[in-house]
Amino acid sequence: MTIDWKQAVEFLIVITGLLSVYFAVKEDNRTWSIGIVNALLFAVVFYSQRFYINIGLQALYVIYNLYSWRMWLRGGPKHAPPNAVLSAPTATPRAAWLLLLLAIAAFTLLFGWVFAAFTDGRLTYGDALTTALSLVAQYALTRKWLENWWIWIAANLIYLRLFVASEAYWLAALQIAYIALSYSGWARWRADIRRRATASQPAVDGNR
C-alpha cells in the first residue's frame, strides 16, 4: 500500500498530538516541546487545505509553547526559582471569564471577516472560531485553569466538523481522541483541586 506525504504527515500529527495532550494532563513539561513539533506539522496540512487562519495559529502556537514551557519551568508569572513546578491547577477566576469570552468573540469576528474578504480561505468563520477558542484555551492551560479542558473540547468539536468536511479522516479521529483526553484532564485536575481543598481544611477534634 502506498502512503502519500499527506497521510504520513497526518499520522505524525496524530502521534505528537496525543503525546502532547497526554503530557498536559500529567502536568509534564514535555507537552510543550512535542506541541511545537505538532504545530509545525499541522501548519503543513492547513496550508494544503487553505485554512489560512489556522496556519497563523500554528505559528503563534510555536511561540506560545516556548513561553508556556518557560512559565511551567520557572513557576509561573511570579518567577519562582528555576525548575520549580507551576502552582497546582485552580478553577478559572470569575473575573477572567468575561475577558476570555470577549476575546473569543472578538478574534472570531475579526479573523473571520479579514480572511473572508481578502483570501480564498475555506469556512473562514469556522476557521476563525477554532483559532479563537484554541488561543484562549492555550492561555488558560498555561495558567493551569481547570476549565481550559472544556474550551479545548469546544474547539475540538468544531475541528472535527472541519476535518470531516475536508475528508481528513485521520485528523477527524484525532479530535475524538482529544475530546476524550481533555475530559480525562478535566477529571484529573478537578480531583486534584478537591483533594488539596480537603487537605487544607483544619482537622476536627472529636473530643471537643
Side-chain angles (χ1 to χ4, degrees):
M1 183 177 73
T2 303
I3 299 177
D4 63 24
W5 70 269
K6 287 185 180 180
Q7 290 177 316
V9 171
E10 288 179 8
F11 177 75
L12 290 174
I13 286 173
V14 170
I15 299 301
T16 56
L18 291 175
L19 286 173
S20 178
V21 178
Y22 171 80
F23 285 127
V25 171
K26 298 290 187 180
E27 301 176 56
D28 189 314
N29 282 320
R30 281 175 288 183
T31 183
W32 306 117
S33 57
I34 297 172
I36 289 171
V37 176
N38 182 256
L40 294 173
L41 293 169
F42 255 123
V44 174
V45 171
F46 285 134
Y47 180 79
S48 71
Q49 296 174 345
R50 303 202 318 267
F51 289 152
Y52 299 131
I53 303 175
N54 266 292
I55 296 173
L57 174 62
Q58 303 313 308
L60 288 175
Y61 269 166
V62 171
I63 296 170
Y64 207 81
N65 273 315
L66 290 170
Y67 167 73
S68 300
W69 198 350
R70 179 177 181 274
M71 285 275 287
W72 279 29
L73 282 173
R74 292 182 61 82
K78 295 183 180 179
H79 301 297
N83 299 318
V85 177
L86 187 69
S87 58
T90 61
T92 305
R94 289 185 180 180
W97 271 114
L98 178 59
L99 293 176
L100 295 180
L101 293 173
L102 286 175
I104 291 170
F107 281 133
T108 299
L109 294 173
L110 176 62
F111 291 159
W113 176 78
V114 168
F115 281 82
F118 300 107
T119 76
D120 63 343
R122 300 171 54 218
L123 303 172
T124 52
Y125 281 95
D127 193 7
L129 179 56
T130 56
T131 299
L133 287 168
S134 298
L135 287 173
V136 169
Q138 187 82 0
Y139 178 85
L141 174 62
T142 299
R143 281 152 182 74
K144 289 193 177 178
W145 289 345
L146 173 65
E147 289 76 14
N148 87 85
W149 297 112
W150 289 111
I151 303 173
W152 281 122
I153 288 172
N156 295 144
L157 287 169
I158 300 170
Y159 273 125
L160 176 61
R161 178 181 177 277
L162 292 177
F163 288 133
V164 169
S166 301
E167 298 183 356
Y169 298 121
W170 271 99
L171 300 184
L174 177 60
Q175 303 314 304
I176 296 173
Y178 277 168
I179 291 168
L181 282 170
S182 293
Y183 181 80
S184 172
W186 171 78
R188 179 187 176 94
W189 285 25
R190 184 184 64 164
D192 182 35
I193 291 171
R194 289 181 172 179
R195 183 168 54 250
R196 285 184 292 104
T198 300
S200 67
Q201 293 176 352
V204 178
D205 188 346
N207 294 323
R208 293 176 113 180

